[in-house]
Amino acid sequence: RRQRQMCIRDRSYALAAKGKPAIAKVLPLLESEDPWIQINAIFILGEIGYESEEIVKAISILLDSSHQQVVRQALDTLACMPNQINEKCLSSISSLLEKKPNDWLKVLVNRGWTALDQINFNASMLLLNCSFTGKYKEELEEILTKLLNFSTGYSAKVASLGLINLKTPTALNSA
């Protein structure tokens, strides 16, 4: 098994396989106090792959979680729903990128990767996907430009691609 890999429960795969009819049973799980239930619920919704404003709103709330694993899974799942990302979600992502809790700065794997590095990378992938929609260019440019200054080259490279996709003069200059 890979270092610090999250384990998704077998029941989560079974619920995801039921598809759209399972959504009504899964959404209330996002409100659980247990971060592992939240992670599994987010995963299920991502695997189902159905985009809706309701799902994006429910998952976006978890971007404010103190548990880095929940935040990472939320960003990863939201990256599959770029057409439903709205200004409120983008504002939450921008605020998230200002956070640097001490426990997110601890090295998690031998190559020196931290939870914050993974969060920044997942955010950059989400924003890259959003850059293809043609919506919220100004907000995306601001957040992607922030990501250029983070420690890992991966996040900055992905952010640069997102800026190039926006095709605005200032985004192209930043990239």
Side-chain angles (χ1 to χ4, degrees), residues 73-124:
Q73 189 65 49
L75 289 166
D76 190 52
T77 296
L78 289 170
C80 299
M81 304 177 180
N83 293 312
Q84 294 299 324
I85 300 301
N86 56 38
E87 288 177 275
K88 187 166 172 66
C89 181
L90 291 173
S91 178
S92 294
I93 293 166
S94 184
S95 296
L96 169 67
L97 296 176
E98 302 295 325
K99 290 171 121 181
K100 293 186 179 25
N102 285 336
D103 61 326
W104 292 11
L105 300 173
K106 294 177 190 165
V107 172
L108 297 177
V109 294
N110 291 336
R111 66 179 186 267
W113 200 254
T114 67
L116 187 61
D117 292 328
Q118 188 65 51
I119 286 167
N120 291 339
F121 181 74
N122 288 10
S124 66

Side-chain angles (χ1 to χ4, degrees), residues 46-80:
E47 288 297 298
I48 291 171
Y50 178 74
E51 293 184 54
S52 77
E53 287 181 30
E54 178 187 21
I55 291 171
V56 168
K57 180 180 177 184
I59 294 172
S60 294
I61 291 169
L62 296 174
L63 293 174
D64 198 36
S65 174
S66 61
H67 302 281
Q68 52 92 357
Q69 299 91 337
V70 172
V71 174
R72 288 170 37 204
Q73 189 65 49
L75 289 166
D76 190 52
T77 296
L78 289 170
C80 299

Side-chain angles (χ1 to χ4, degrees), residues 7-172:
C7 292
I8 302 299
R9 312 279 293 165
D10 289 343
R11 285 182 237 141
S12 296
Y13 287 101
L15 260 175
K18 292 181 186 235
K20 193 174 172 184
I23 293 172
K25 292 179 183 175
V26 176
L27 281 173
L29 298 176
L30 295 174
E31 297 174 17
S32 171
E33 294 295 319
D34 184 334
W36 294 106
I37 290 175
Q38 292 173 334
I39 289 166
N40 279 269
I42 297 166
F43 171 82
I44 293 165
L45 293 169
E47 288 297 298
I48 291 171
Y50 178 74
E51 293 184 54
S52 77
E53 287 181 30
E54 178 187 21
I55 291 171
V56 168
K57 180 180 177 184
I59 294 172
S60 294
I61 291 169
L62 296 174
L63 293 174
D64 198 36
S65 174
S66 61
H67 302 281
Q68 52 92 357
Q69 299 91 337
V70 172
V71 174
R72 288 170 37 204
Q73 189 65 49
L75 289 166
D76 190 52
T77 296
L78 289 170
C80 299
M81 304 177 180
N83 293 312
Q84 294 299 324
I85 300 301
N86 56 38
E87 288 177 275
K88 187 166 172 66
C89 181
L90 291 173
S91 178
S92 294
I93 293 166
S94 184
S95 296
L96 169 67
L97 296 176
E98 302 295 325
K99 290 171 121 181
K100 293 186 179 25
N102 285 336
D103 61 326
W104 292 11
L105 300 173
K106 294 177 190 165
V107 172
L108 297 177
V109 294
N110 291 336
R111 66 179 186 267
W113 200 254
T114 67
L116 187 61
D117 292 328
Q118 188 65 51
I119 286 167
N120 291 339
F121 181 74
N122 288 10
S124 66
M125 292 300 292
L126 164 57
L127 297 167
L128 172 64
N129 290 348
C130 289
S131 74
F132 290 103
T133 69
K135 300 187 295 188
Y136 307 113
K137 286 186 173 190
E138 209 173 287
E139 294 85 350
L140 286 169
E141 183 176 338
E142 180 183 323
I143 303 167
L144 286 163
T145 302
K146 275 187 197 179
L147 278 164
L148 288 177
N149 300 315
F150 291 131
S151 61
T152 69
Y154 297 116
S155 299
K157 286 180 194 237
V158 174
S160 291
L161 290 173
L163 288 165
I164 291 167
N165 284 345
L166 294 176
K167 297 181 177 133
T168 66
T170 52
L172 291 170

